[in-house]
């Protein structure tokens, strides 16, 4: 195995050239909604139906979602930058100005999302300064036909129409 050291700033710059969709992972912890913006989300397996995301070890929200054991992945639409900003900040009531209803597992489904996936935490693996979460999908829906919110080179981006 190679022991090459990669500068984190160079890594962030290079990986910023890979466009990602933007999601918000939500759950209910001790009766209150919790959520965090997440770009590191992907479909993992069709059979069984698994999804995956990778929260940072420094996240203060991820431990509460992990403890809840179930969550919803809300895929944000292009017009939901404000929702992403609200869920990306630390502290305060992230849900104060965000409309939502309860999924089957009680976790918030954010109004205006183009898709949502309800899942249970199935596996958690180490991933450097992140953890790799594998969730078993219990339900999903595409409630809205709209363009996705994208992130590219450190900024929000849109699909070229």
């Amino acid at each position: 195995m190679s022991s090459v050291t990669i500068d984190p700033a160079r890594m962030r710059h290079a990986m910023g050239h890979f466009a990602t969709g933007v999601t918000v992972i939500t759950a209910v912890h001790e009766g209150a909604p919790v959520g965090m913006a997440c770009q590191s989300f992907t479909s993992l397996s069709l059979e069984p139906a698994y999804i995956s995301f990778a929260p940072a070890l420094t996240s203060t929200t991820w431990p509460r979602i992990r403890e809840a054991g179930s969550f919803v992945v809300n895929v944000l639409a292009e017009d939901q930058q404000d929702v992403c900003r609200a869920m990306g900040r630390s502290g305060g009531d992230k849900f104060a100005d965000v409309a939502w209803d309860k999924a089957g597992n009680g976790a918030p489904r954010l109004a205006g999302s183009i898709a949502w996936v309800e899942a249970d935490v199935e596996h958690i693996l180490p991933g450097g300064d992140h953890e790799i979460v594998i969730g078993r999908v219990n339900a999903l829906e595409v409630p809205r036909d709209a363009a996705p919110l994208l992130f590219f080179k450190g900024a929000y981006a849109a699909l070229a129409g």
Side-chain angles (χ1 to χ4, degrees), residues 22-24 36-37 76 78-91 94 98 149 151 155-156:
V22 180
T23 67
V24 171
M36 65 181 192
L76 298 187
E78 183 178 61
D79 60 0
Q80 292 184 292
Q81 291 182 19
D82 57 335
V83 173
C84 183
R85 284 188 199 94
M87 296 297 163
R89 71 175 181 251
S90 185
K94 296 180 181 184
V98 176
L149 180 59
F151 203 72
Y156 296 115

Side-chain angles (χ1 to χ4, degrees), residues 9-21 39 150-155 157:
R10 284 182 53 87
M11 177 79 166
R12 181 182 305 268
H13 175 72
M15 294 299 100
H17 286 73
F18 178 69
T20 63
Q39 293 169 245
L150 300 177
F151 203 72
F152 180 67
K153 293 170 63 175

Side-chain angles (χ1 to χ4, degrees), residues 33-54:
V34 294
M36 65 181 192
C38 180
Q39 293 169 245
S40 59
F41 168 76
T42 191
S43 171
L44 183 62
S45 170
L46 296 177
E47 293 184 30
Y50 283 145
I51 50 86
S52 179
F53 67 97

Side-chain angles (χ1 to χ4, degrees), residues 22 24 73-83 98-101 108-116 141-149:
V22 180
V24 171
V73 178
N74 298 272
V75 180
L76 298 187
E78 183 178 61
D79 60 0
Q80 292 184 292
Q81 291 182 19
D82 57 335
V83 173
V98 176
W100 60 279
D101 67 353
R109 285 187 306 209
L110 305 182
S113 296
I114 59 175
W116 60 262
E141 188 173 324
V142 179
R144 180 177 177 209
D145 184 20
L149 180 59

